[in-house]
Each structure stands twice: as C-alpha cells, then as structure tokens.
Amino acid sequence: MSTGPIRLSQGAHTALRPATAARITGGFWAARRRVNAEVSVPQGPDRLERAGNLANLRAAAGAAPAQSGFRGDFPFQDSDVHKWLEAASWQLADGGERPAEELARQVERLAGLVTAAQAEDGYLQTHYQLGPDARRWAEPHWGHELYCAGHLLQAAVAHHRATGADGLLDVAVRCADLVDATFGPGRNETVCGHPEIETALVELYRETGERRYLDLAGYFVDRRGQGSLGDGPADGSPGPRPGAAYWQDHIPVREATAVAGHAVRQLYLLAGAADVAAETGDAGLRDALVRLWEDMTTTKTHLTGGVGSRHELESFGDAYELPPDRAYAETCAAIAAIHFGWRMALLTGESRYSDLVERTLFNGFASGVSIDGERWLYVNPLQVRQDDDSRKDATSGRSAHRTPWFRCACCPPNVMRLLASLPHYMASGDAQGLQLHQYASGSYEAGG
Ligand SMILES: [Zn+2]
C-alpha cells in the first residue's frame, strides 16, 4: 500500500495505482528534500508559534487566558498547523538516516494541541471557537470552515499512515461526522467558499472505509455551481464583489468548459473531483476533468507551469493572458495543479499529465522556496527586474523577493508537504509493471 497522499481503494476505477513503496535517494529532488527535512520542516513549529497559530489552539482548548482572543488576520490560520502536521508526518514516513525523534516529538506536541482544541461536538476552527459561537457555519463565503476541516483530515490521514496511531485520525473522524451531520441534502445545502474538503473526504474514506465520506465529497462536488454562494458578500475590501466564478459557483463542474476564478480554489476542487471519479468510475465527471485540464494547459498555463496569472482575485485570466512580469502564479496554485495532474495521470494512465507535473515541479513550484529552505515566494513572476519593487502587490504587500513567512502563510507549509511526500508522485504500477513518471534516482515498487 502506498504511504503517500493517495491510497486508492481496492475497487478504484483508475488506469494506474501509486507505487506501493517509493524513496528518492539522489539527484536534484533528494537535495531539495534534504533541505526541506533539515531546515524548513523543523522551523515550522517556531514560525507557527510566532504567528499566533499555536496560541489560538491553546486558547480554544481553554489552556490560555480567554482575553487573548484570536490571533491572525485570516479565519483559516489553523490550516497552516494542519498542513505542517501533514508535511511532518510524510517526513516521518520517509524515514532516512537521521534520527527522527525530535520531529516525532514536535508532531505529537502539535497534534496534541489540535486534539485539545476540538470542541465536544467535533467542531474545530479556532477563529469561530474564540469568537461568537453563533457565526459557526453561517459565513460560507469567507469562513473557510470546511477548508480548515479538509486540511485537518489530510493531516490526520498522513499521521495515521506514518505512525499507525489513531489519535489524530479520531479527531478527524469526529470532525468529518459533524460535517456529514451538518451538510447534505435536506440539511445545510451550501458549499464552502474554498474547496479542499472534497479531496480530504475521499482520502478519509480510503483510510477508514466509511462510504458516507465519499458520498459527501460527491455531494459537495455536484452542489457547487448551483448558486448557493452566488456572487457572495463583499469581503470588506473596496472594489467589486468577487462574483460566482471566483469560487466556481457559476457552473457545475461537469458542465464547465473552462477553468475560472481563484486558481487554488479551482484546482483543489478539480483534484477532489478527480478523487471522486477515481472511486466511483463516474465517466461524465472524468470527461469534464479532461476538458478542464486541457483548457488550463493549452491556454492558461505559464511556461513555468505556474497558473492563475491575475493578481486581481488570485485568478485565472482569459485565454493566453499570461504576462511574464505581472504573472501572479501563486506557489499554492502550482501545488494544486500538481495535485490535480497526478490524479489525472492515475485516472487515465496518460503521460501528458505527468509531463506537466514535471515542468511545474522544476519551475513554478521550485521557485517558491529559497535554496536554503528558509524563505518563500507567494507570487512567482517569470521576470523580475533588479531592485524593482513596483511588482509588490498593493493589497497583500507580497513582494517579488522571498521572505521568511507571510501574514497569509498558505504557501510555506504547502511546499513542505509536497516536498515531504514527493516520492509518492514519482512512480505508479499496473498489471504490466512499474511506470516512472519523473526523473529521480530512487527505489520504487509496484504491485500488491
Ligand atoms: Zn499559497
């Protein structure tokens, strides 16, 4: 069985299955992964402490003074912790020569903080736990509640696969059961403004065998595009409301012909839809995903594999709107494209998906972290003039120069979790044997 982010069910309808064992032992990616393991991931807990993420968990658990309140500018601060836990878990699963005791200790410490912060009914998002309780599930556009839940589920699956321990998986199951009891036909019929729960629910289904989670993922995929979010409320910033395409609520996935809106939202949604198609054999959904991947790849992807060319709303632009110097190309969007592409490679068995994954890995993704592993890019333009900070994004303050962390720190732990789980993306197997998708010295096994 694969010890990586995707572990298909026995009956999955895919052309290929992830390798059952994979290790990268040399070359470019081994060097980058070593820096990730020795510098980036170990620095994570301290970064999260300084940014207030861990204080939020302690406060929600009642272990900190109530007046400390919620720290951070965004309701999804918890997801940075979850993504770090996922990254560190994949790192533990990877083993290696270095003793992993300190990393294992940090994983258990942060997993303990997450566990203690969970409410009695399974709810876990400190932004709402530390604010008025009545706002729970009431702000689907910007609340990121199911987004955070999704990252918790993925962290828990990684932790379970890496350690075999049930603790964090139990937290995820309680959270998923609450989501399942809250959302669905005849219950709360809206979707989250930021997709992510879809792919996470499918993986939790794969890990637990609980079919309800797969069904709920399918519900969320098909419910989007039915207008439950619509144009949305203003987010408080000046300017127009984002519009339904921003969160892909303008058209159902299986009817869509073009990728649109916020790039990370679009691609997390498509990765989740590919997971649903893989487990259900839904041919209509699969055809839509092929169509959308082709639209993205042929008209909306930079040479670097970067996607989401517009600074405005971090969104896909029009076809061929791919400015080199004004490219937004968020690091997370490159990662999301890799998530989507790998799922399509498994689903179809076609090499073109892994070819784009390769281009993105070496360019639009690798640019997101410095060689020393300590500084990060959020925005990845293809061209930066020396000492010219006019490219600095006016609203977010994001610069074309790498910085140690961000006010909105989605990208760094996202890079960490992809590098830590990278062996998973290198090879697959089928009845004929093993397929290598990327060039990376290592050992790979398929079958079983
Ligand atoms: Zn990001």
Side-chain angles (χ1 to χ4, degrees):
M1 288 194 294
S2 155
T3 305
I6 299 173
R7 183 180 282 177
L8 298 170
S9 74
Q10 276 307 320
H13 305 261
T14 61
L16 308 174
R17 304 180 73 86
T20 50
R23 294 208 58 175
I24 295 174
T25 55
F28 180 89
W29 289 117
R32 300 309 293 266
R33 295 186 72 249
R34 193 174 308 117
V35 171
N36 190 54
E38 294 179 358
V39 179
S40 306
V41 172
Q43 286 183 352
D46 184 54
R47 303 275 195 218
L48 294 165
E49 188 67 77
R50 282 194 266 168
N53 306 60
L54 303 185
N56 288 337
L57 292 167
R58 281 193 289 269
Q67 69 269 20
S68 59
F70 180 79
R71 287 182 60 190
D73 295 326
F74 300 94
F76 48 86
Q77 300 287 113
D78 297 354
S79 65
D80 301 336
V81 181
H82 302 328
K83 278 193 284 190
W84 182 86
L85 275 170
E86 185 189 340
S89 294
W90 295 135
Q91 199 57 53
L92 287 178
D94 190 61
E97 307 85 51
R98 273 166 48 88
E101 288 89 16
E102 173 57 18
L103 183 61
R105 202 179 63 76
Q106 292 291 348
V107 165
E108 293 321 308
R109 183 171 75 86
L110 267 64
L113 292 175
V114 169
T115 302
Q118 186 172 41
E120 195 79 359
D121 63 356
Y123 187 89
L124 178 49
Q125 188 176 355
T126 60
H127 175 72
Y128 289 106
Q129 289 170 274
L130 299 175
D133 200 50
R135 289 162 64 209
R136 280 188 197 183
W137 309 130
E139 299 175 332
H141 298 91
W142 300 113
H144 289 75
E145 286 166 291
L146 298 181
Y147 169 86
C148 286
H151 280 301
L152 170 64
L153 269 50
Q154 289 183 322
V157 167
H159 185 260
H160 189 244
R161 287 179 187 164
T163 68
D166 289 332
L168 201 57
L169 191 66
D170 289 343
V171 173
V173 164
R174 282 197 296 276
C175 176
D177 286 347
L178 175 68
V179 171
D180 187 45
T182 306
F183 291 86
R187 302 189 290 280
N188 185 333
E189 296 190 355
T190 193
V191 296
C192 183
H194 201 313
E196 156 66 19
I197 189 76
E198 298 83 358
T199 188
L201 280 168
V202 176
E203 212 56 45
L204 189 64
Y205 155 71
R206 290 167 174 157
E207 193 67 5
T208 63
E210 180 54 73
R211 172 87 197 190
R212 286 183 296 122
Y213 304 144
L214 174 61
D215 293 342
L216 186 60
Y219 172 80
F220 282 135
V221 167
D222 280 323
R223 181 68 186 137
R224 193 172 293 272
Q226 311 282 346
S228 73
L229 296 172
D231 288 344
D235 67 351
S237 58
R241 295 156 81 196
Y246 173 76
W247 23 58
Q248 293 80 40
D249 197 37
H250 60 307
I251 188 170
V253 171
R254 53 183 81 234
E255 294 171 26
T257 57
V259 291
H262 186 269
V264 178
R265 283 171 167 81
Q266 173 71 89
L267 295 172
Y268 279 11
L269 174 64
L270 297 182
D275 283 321
V276 171
E279 294 299 336
T280 61
D282 187 326
L285 191 54
R286 173 190 147 128
D287 290 349
L289 295 170
V290 170
R291 192 166 66 232
L292 290 166
W293 184 88
E294 287 175 349
D295 174 68
M296 174 184 81
T297 304
T298 58
T299 72
K300 292 163 190 162
T301 299
H302 289 278
L303 282 173
T304 57
V307 287
S309 63
R310 283 190 192 170
H311 282 239
E312 183 188 21
L313 299 174
E314 305 182 316
S315 65
F316 283 103
D318 292 334
Y320 310 108
E321 183 188 331
L322 297 164
D325 52 349
R326 283 290 298 164
Y328 194 72
E330 181 183 342
T331 304
C332 283
I335 293 166
I338 290 165
H339 288 168
F340 177 37
W342 175 236
R343 284 160 174 78
M344 293 305 290
L346 296 174
L347 197 57
T348 64
E350 292 177 20
S351 59
R352 58 180 180 160
Y353 298 104
S354 292
D355 285 343
L356 180 58
V357 167
E358 178 186 29
R359 179 146 60 93
T360 309
L361 277 172
F362 278 107
N363 297 280
F365 165 72
S367 57
V369 55
S370 61
I371 295 292
D372 65 9
E374 300 198 37
R375 287 167 298 118
W376 312 88
L377 277 185
Y378 194 114
V379 180
N380 296 269
L382 280 67
Q383 174 191 12
V384 177
R385 292 179 180 84
Q386 201 70 27
D387 301 325
D388 177 3
D389 225 16
S390 66
R391 301 298 183 280
K392 193 166 177 169
D393 189 62
T395 51
S396 68
R398 286 167 203 138
S399 156
H401 300 280
R402 292 186 181 85
T403 54
W405 206 244
F406 303 106
R407 206 162 56 86
C408 172
C410 52
C411 299
N414 223 354
V415 172
M416 292 177 206
R417 70 179 180 142
L418 183 58
L419 282 173
S421 62
L422 198 63
H424 172 77
Y425 297 82
M426 300 291 109
S428 65
D430 66 3
Q432 272 72 54
L434 185 79
Q435 302 85 33
L436 290 176
H437 293 250
Q438 307 298 336
Y439 294 106
S441 305
S443 61
Y444 306 99
E445 290 173 30

